[in-house]
Amino acid sequence: MAVGAVPPADGAPQTGGSAQPEGSAGAPFLELLAQGAPAAAYEQPVLLARAEGRPAAWIAALEHAKLLALRVRAELEGRRRREAELSALFETAHDLAGLRDLDSVLSAIVQRARSLLGTDVAYLTLNDPARGDTYMRVTEGSVAARFQQLRLGMGEGLGGLVAQTARPYVTEDYFKDARFQHTGTIDAGVQDEGLVAILGVPLMLGPHVIGVLFAADRRARGFEREQIALLGSFAALAAAAIDSANLLTETRAALADLERANEIIRDRSAVIERASDVHDRLAELVLRGGGVHDVAAAVSQVLAGTVEFTETGDAPAGPLEASRVEGHAVRHGDDWIAAVAAGGELLGALVLRGHRDLDPVDQRTLERAAMVTSLLLLARRSAAEAEQRVRGELLDDLLDARARDPRLLRERAARLRADLDATHVLLAARLDIPAADAEQEAAARRRLWSAASHLAATRHGLAAARDGGTVLLLPLPRGAGATELARRTAHHLGTAVHEAVTVGASAPVADLAARPEAATAAYAEARRCLEALLLLGRTGDGAAAEDFGFLGLLLAGDRDVAGFVERTIGQVVAYDRRRGTDLIRTLEAYFASGASPARTKDALHVHVNTVAQRLERVGRLLGEDWQSPARALEIQLALRLHRLSAPARS
């Protein structure tokens, strides 16, 4: 046989030298190997030979040569892939050896893992021992914000299972895999990202799992054993990088502690001078109008620690009360707590973190800072209360439609950063909660007024307590409507007071300085809207007068809306609730289509016979005269009231 000739495949007839095809059957495949052609191209020589009508022996030799060439190609591809994998692992190890920035090393690991495994996404999570879960640290190829912020409890999702069992897990279709615990939060994040196939391997430090490295695709696929092993190698390098970074951080912290101790020894003689410097800094802060956080920042610098101002409810109750009674800072574990008080009233606390031992001079510095903080808080409270009163007085003057000079009204508003020439909306807000006594009810109203005043100040508007509730005058944002503003205000105030707040809004009004009577009319409109919401049972919601149309007039006053709806279409509502049918929606579409079954079926996307059957059922429930003019009007009004009574759609 000539050099380079390919023997025929097993089973091909061999009749001596005459059976061998002319030339070399392997030549075209050698060219394809040299060109690095795709696997599909190796079928072309065989197909061409068949098309030319070559002998069977020649075609059999080509088939055999093709198989050998594909085997060689696969071997070459495997070697190239292994070379790329080894190169990536070497580069990662090189990055680890020169570790300076942990995030950069982890990002490089995730990026290389994604590239070598050919996946759409790769990401890495780390365990949080304090919270007992694992959280997303680095992602590559991710596009969904919710996915990038996921936290997985131990045992939750594929990643939680890997973190809990310290074993790799792979799934070809995440949502069809029942081996791990699905949760709404995790599934929503995975669905946002569009992931289907997921491979996760643990990051191990000794016997402990510190995180999980993932590779994932947005289509179903299987992961080969070699790919799982490769991702495991990257996970080992990532764990080593984290361990090295932790050791480096601990070393730096130890060096910083030694340096700080040395500085304390050297600077012991300058303690009194430092205390004087604190006094000067605090005085300067007060004179230039600094705030409580400025005081905390200044003291942090002087005491070489972290000083924070906390609200009364966020500080430990026992040490805080002891500090208030004694008038000195009190140690609590490794922290020091100094009460911020005035006239026996606790306003908060200054907390020095992580200073177990504090010399008397530094302790006195912390106590002096707490005293300055209390003075600043009292001054801020007085200013805020004064501004709230001024805003309330200006709005009261507008609502009472007193004869006022427009120029003076504009000047008063400008001092409060409000513009009466802009387009505004009047909003009537009410906090409807059962109160055990008058004192609790008054306290609830004060909370609502305080929250409304703060909202008005931040939005360049006005607020006042009025008629057992609160009224706000807020500028209408560009592109927004009165309904949207009412709902936002109801949500904001409800969140602030932790109770349901209902808000009714007027139509937009302008030129209030020149037309103060317009504010009075708008407030009356907002109150009617508020009463309509309460009558419809939409407590905690917000709406504008434009949402109700003529129904706003019908709903004003004490009317039994629920009783009217029940008497008119109650049987149909109950039938839908019991049977899961759509009779109410069919009625709405029927009247909206001008009582035309043909147009109704188009609106509902059902057959006209279905519409007829539903209307026949309605007739049996409501009576044969349900389509008479008088009954039809009542039914349409009841349908409208029923829909308005439902929770508002966002």
Side-chain angles (χ1 to χ4, degrees):
M1 181 179 296
V3 176
V6 179
D10 294 342
Q14 300 186 30
T15 58
S18 62
Q20 295 296 329
E22 298 179 0
S24 173
F29 299 108
L30 289 176
E31 293 181 4
L32 291 173
L33 285 172
Q35 296 169 2
Y42 287 74
E43 289 290 340
Q44 295 301 320
V46 179
L47 296 176
L48 182 60
R50 295 183 189 278
E52 292 176 351
R54 294 294 188 110
W58 176 263
I59 293 174
L62 283 175
E63 287 282 2
H64 186 70
K66 179 192 72 173
L67 294 177
L68 291 177
L70 287 174
R71 192 181 307 164
V72 172
R73 181 184 181 277
E75 180 67 23
L76 291 175
E77 286 292 330
R79 291 183 180 182
R80 280 196 291 267
R81 185 173 65 252
R82 286 192 291 275
E83 181 181 353
E85 292 171 356
L86 290 174
S87 177
L89 290 172
F90 176 79
E91 291 174 0
T92 303
H94 182 270
D95 292 344
L96 178 56
L99 177 65
R100 291 295 181 271
D101 181 2
L102 177 62
D103 286 338
S104 297
V105 175
L106 295 181
S107 295
I109 290 173
V110 172
Q111 183 179 7
R112 289 165 185 160
R114 177 195 177 201
S115 175
L116 288 177
L117 269 68
T119 58
D120 298 322
V121 183
Y123 50 101
L124 183 147
T125 63
L126 291 181
N127 290 2
D128 185 346
R131 296 180 56 170
D133 61 5
T134 182
Y135 64 95
M136 198 73 68
R137 175 65 184 269
V138 182
T139 64
E140 176 69 23
S142 172
V143 296
R146 177 158 53 175
F147 177 78
Q148 297 166 10
Q149 299 169 2
L150 275 181
R151 298 189 74 98
L152 294 76
M154 291 301 177
E156 295 179 353
L158 184 142
L161 190 58
V162 173
Q164 184 182 53
T165 63
R167 295 174 55 191
Y169 274 87
V170 61
T171 177
E172 295 184 8
D173 193 331
Y174 173 83
F175 289 101
K176 294 182 180 179
D177 201 327
R179 290 177 299 164
F180 40 82
Q181 178 183 351
H182 288 267
T183 69
T185 301
I186 297 174
D187 284 2
V190 174
Q191 190 170 25
D192 283 357
E193 194 62 57
L195 300 182
V196 178
I198 303 175
L199 164 63
V201 297
L203 278 65
M204 305 291 298
L205 276 183
H208 303 292
V209 179
I210 63 171
V212 182
L213 179 61
F214 299 85
D217 252 338
R218 296 188 176 95
R219 56 184 174 80
R221 64 168 282 183
F223 289 93
E224 300 175 0
R225 187 182 302 276
E226 292 80 4
Q227 293 175 316
I228 298 175
L230 175 61
L231 194 63
S233 298
F234 276 115
L237 290 174
I242 294 169
D243 190 33
S244 299
N246 290 339
L247 291 175
L248 184 60
T249 300
E250 291 174 2
T251 302
R252 288 174 176 170
L255 291 174
D257 290 342
L258 290 174
E259 183 179 355
R260 190 159 50 249
N262 192 32
E263 289 177 355
I264 291 173
I265 294 173
R266 290 198 311 266
D267 298 341
R268 195 65 183 176
S269 60
V271 171
I272 302 301
E273 181 179 350
R274 185 152 48 92
S276 176
D277 177 57
V278 172
H279 181 273
D280 293 341
R281 289 193 187 191
L282 295 179
E284 182 183 357
L285 281 174
V286 173
L287 291 175
R288 73 165 188 253
V292 294
H293 296 292
D294 296 321
V295 173
V299 179
S300 296
Q301 293 178 359
V302 173
L303 299 183
T306 301
V307 177
E308 301 174 349
F309 172 77
T310 64
E311 301 291 342
T312 303
D314 297 331
L320 180 60
E321 180 62 20
S323 176
R324 184 189 70 81
V325 173
E326 298 174 10
H328 297 292
V330 174
R331 193 177 74 181
H332 177 63
D334 291 338
D335 301 337
W336 285 81
I337 297 175
V340 177
E345 179 187 0
L346 275 173
L347 305 176
L350 284 186
V351 181
L352 173 62
R353 305 287 187 189
H355 270 248
R356 186 173 183 83
D357 297 319
L358 200 63
D359 62 54
V361 175
D362 286 343
Q363 182 178 345
R364 181 59 183 158
T365 297
L366 184 62
E367 293 165 359
R368 184 179 299 152
M371 184 182 303
V372 172
T373 301
S374 67
L375 294 175
L376 290 175
L377 287 175
L378 288 176
R380 188 175 66 180
R381 177 191 291 180
S382 299
E385 290 176 351
E387 182 177 340
Q388 288 175 356
R389 285 195 298 271
V390 172
R391 289 180 184 275
E393 290 170 359
L394 176 56
L395 184 53
D396 281 334
D397 287 347
L398 287 171
L399 295 178
D400 293 338
R402 298 171 183 168
R404 298 285 181 179
D405 184 348
R407 182 180 59 83
L408 293 178
L409 289 174
R410 290 190 181 95
E411 289 179 356
R412 290 172 61 188
R415 286 195 292 270
L416 298 171
R417 301 186 304 280
D419 181 10
L420 294 183
D421 292 324
T423 301
H424 287 74
V425 173
L426 260 293
L427 302 113
R430 185 178 300 170
L431 182 67
D432 290 301
I433 58 173
D437 53 38
E439 184 176 348
Q440 289 187 11
E441 184 177 356
R445 290 180 179 177
R446 283 195 299 271
R447 290 198 308 272
L448 176 60
W449 176 73
S450 178
S453 298
H454 182 266
L455 177 62
T458 57
R459 301 286 177 84
H460 306 296
L462 304 174
R466 199 175 183 92
D467 299 324
T470 300
V471 56
L472 299 94
L473 178 69
L474 297 181
L476 185 65
R478 181 175 298 178
T483 299
E484 181 181 359
L485 181 60
R487 289 178 179 172
R488 288 181 182 176
T489 303
H491 175 73
H492 182 97
L493 296 179
T495 302
V497 302
H498 305 291
E499 297 288 351
V501 177
T502 310
V503 176
S506 71
V509 292
D511 299 326
L512 290 174
R515 301 185 305 113
E517 70 281 355
T520 303
Y523 176 53
E525 185 179 49
R527 288 194 63 191
R528 286 197 300 271
C529 183
L530 172 63
E531 292 174 1
L533 284 171
L534 295 175
L535 283 170
L536 291 169
R538 287 172 58 180
T539 302
D541 199 358
E546 61 191 24
D547 297 324
F548 296 96
F550 77 96
L551 290 175
L553 297 175
L554 295 177
L555 294 170
D558 185 13
R559 289 178 169 81
D560 184 12
V561 175
F564 172 76
V565 173
E566 175 63 26
R567 290 191 301 273
T568 308
I569 59 171
Q571 293 188 59
V572 181
V573 173
Y575 188 91
D576 275 351
R577 188 180 300 117
R578 290 194 310 271
R579 304 292 183 89
T581 53
D582 256 346
L583 298 184
I584 287 294
R585 195 160 69 94
T586 302
L587 272 176
E588 290 178 336
Y590 179 70
F591 286 118
S593 302
S596 168
R599 288 197 294 271
T600 302
K601 63 97 175 174
D602 291 336
L604 296 177
H605 305 291
V606 298
H607 196 275
V608 68
N609 291 341
T610 302
V611 174
Q613 291 170 3
R614 292 180 181 179
L615 294 179
E616 182 180 358
R617 171 62 63 183
V618 169
R620 288 199 294 269
L621 292 172
L622 299 182
E624 295 180 357
D625 65 335
W626 69 276
Q627 295 196 71
S628 66
R631 288 290 308 279
L633 177 60
E634 289 184 355
I635 291 170
Q636 291 181 68
L637 178 58
L639 288 170
R640 174 72 168 167
L641 291 172
H642 176 67
R643 183 160 59 86
L644 287 173
S645 300
R649 297 178 176 89
S650 301

